[in-house]
Amino acid sequence: MSTRPDFRPGQRVGGRYVIVRPVGRWQIGTAYAATEGRAETPRLILAMDLQRGALSQYLRWVRTEADQARVLPEGLWVPLGGGHIFGDRVYMALPELRGRSLTRLVSDEGSLDEEKATRIAEQICRLVGRAHAEGVCLGCLRPSNVFLMPGGPIRPAVFDVGLARGLSRLLARPPRPSASYTPPDAKPEMPVATDDVFAMGGLLYYMLTARKPPASDANGLRVPAPPSWRRRSSELATYVDPIVMKAMAPLARDRFDYAEELADALQALVEVFRLSPDARAVLGLPGSPDTERPARHTHPHYLHDLLGIPAEPTTEIAAIDDPLETDG
């Protein structure tokens, strides 16, 4: 990676962006705070090294990404443009990073309660589902690149530079995919909706246990232990088990087909969690005071849905979290 400074404060980049300051050195490059246009809209500029001879491919790729960004929902922070710096060094323009990542949230607060974790996961699913509706699958969801906006209702955002959509093959030193959030049947540079479903199941597992889920294998012989196995004192964790296990099934055909289908399942869980223990007892739901508690926690192969859902070096740089770090 280049060690010379790419940009200096006050420098204009691409005729649109003005560099404010360097903010961090990440695995794939150096990040700079910047502004765009007369409105001085906050932006992030990321300077990266490409493989030799990949410049023309990168310029075509980033134009395609910028075109897609125009139709994607607010809350998906994807490439807005990019260009050439010198040699094999290029830059990418992205929305400003705001809020707190899931990695930081869990590091600060520990594992989340079932209702909070499920509500966050549902909103992430809704956001990603809207991207799927526009024909864009991410393929690179992990706790470090999912952010929660401060204040008010839950508002997640996803920071995605496009690694799984073709950027990795262009970079000189691309980060490895996270085995904990990438399904074993994923195809390089061809992310599909069920890949994102798998990752969202992993995000829920992480929020509930404060641990990254163990990697699965393509033969289905190794699957993550259900969250309830790490939350043995919780009466509600077993409700989450079937949904996490279905979302993280090793084979795509066994997962939820769509992000919205997973979101609906999570919404139903939130409604159950908001019932009083007595109300759950009247409904005969597991874990309520008047129903017999199972002798053992949910088996990892138990995919039946309890809720009846269908079975189908330079200037000094301040240290900040790297949203592109490998979580697994």
Side-chain angles (χ1 to χ4, degrees):
M1 181 178 292
S2 172
T3 57
R4 61 177 279 187
D6 299 292
F7 305 119
R8 62 184 183 276
Q11 182 176 349
R12 185 172 294 275
V13 178
R16 300 173 58 185
Y17 311 104
V18 177
I19 300 298
V20 176
R21 67 185 185 282
V23 295
R25 196 177 301 285
W26 298 346
Q27 185 172 352
I28 69 169
T30 303
Y32 297 83
T35 59
E36 179 183 9
R38 293 183 178 179
E40 298 188 342
T41 305
R43 297 295 186 218
L44 185 79
I45 300 294
L46 184 58
M48 308 170 290
D49 282 321
L50 295 180
Q51 292 186 22
R52 188 178 301 274
L55 177 59
S56 61
Q57 296 176 63
Y58 171 76
L59 295 177
R60 287 194 300 269
W61 177 88
V62 80
R63 283 196 297 269
T64 300
E65 286 285 309
D67 287 342
Q68 289 183 157
R70 296 188 180 98
V71 300
L72 293 179
E74 183 181 358
L76 275 180
W77 300 338
V78 296
L80 303 172
H84 184 218
I85 304 175
F86 57 83
D88 294 317
R89 194 76 167 162
V90 297
Y91 73 89
M92 176 189 296
L94 297 133
E96 173 196 31
L97 285 182
R98 292 173 286 123
R100 184 165 53 155
S101 71
L102 284 186
T103 300
R104 180 60 56 186
L105 174 67
V106 172
S107 175
D108 292 345
E109 300 183 12
S111 59
L112 309 183
D113 66 70
E114 286 82 3
E115 181 177 342
K116 183 175 182 177
T118 303
R119 288 174 59 224
I120 292 173
E122 182 205 343
Q123 292 304 312
I124 297 170
C125 287
R126 301 290 184 199
L127 175 61
V128 174
R130 292 194 291 274
H132 291 174
E134 298 294 342
V136 177
C137 298
L138 306 181
C140 196
L141 282 166
R142 55 184 66 174
S144 61
N145 69 356
V146 175
F147 290 77
L148 298 177
M149 299 298 97
I154 293 173
R155 291 183 299 133
V158 176
F159 179 78
D160 184 359
V161 299
L163 289 169
R165 295 191 302 279
L167 180 61
S168 283
R169 66 178 168 82
L170 303 176
L171 293 177
R173 284 167 290 276
R176 294 181 297 107
S178 174
S180 296
Y181 304 96
T182 304
D185 58 355
K187 297 180 180 179
E189 298 185 34
M190 297 179 61
V192 296
T194 53
D195 294 351
D196 290 339
V197 166
F198 182 97
M200 288 183 285
L203 293 177
L204 181 54
Y205 182 101
Y206 173 77
M207 287 187 282
L208 289 169
T209 66
R211 299 187 183 209
K212 63 186 179 185
S216 302
D217 68 85
N219 297 319
L221 300 178
R222 185 177 68 232
V223 295
S228 67
W229 287 23
R230 295 195 178 278
R231 297 176 69 88
R232 296 183 179 275
S233 62
S234 172
E235 296 286 344
L236 299 178
T238 52
Y239 288 99
V240 189
D241 287 347
I243 291 179
V244 169
M245 300 307 296
K246 183 171 182 178
M248 298 195 71
L251 300 179
R253 69 190 182 202
D254 298 323
R255 298 176 209 138
F256 296 95
D257 292 325
Y258 307 103
E260 285 293 337
E261 185 182 3
L262 174 55
D264 290 342
L266 295 171
Q267 182 180 14
L269 273 186
V270 172
E271 293 173 0
V272 170
F273 293 157
R274 289 174 176 173
L275 295 174
S276 68
D278 289 339
R280 288 198 293 270
V282 169
L283 295 173
L285 294 173
S288 55
D290 298 334
T291 58
E292 184 178 352
R293 186 173 176 82
R296 55 184 298 180
H297 289 279
T298 309
H299 189 277
H301 291 279
Y302 176 50
L303 301 180
H304 171 67
D305 194 319
L306 296 177
L307 300 177
I309 295 170
E312 286 292 339
T314 57
T315 54
E316 279 190 40
I317 295 177
I320 65 170
D321 291 337
D322 181 352
L324 305 177
E325 65 186 353
T326 300
D327 296 277

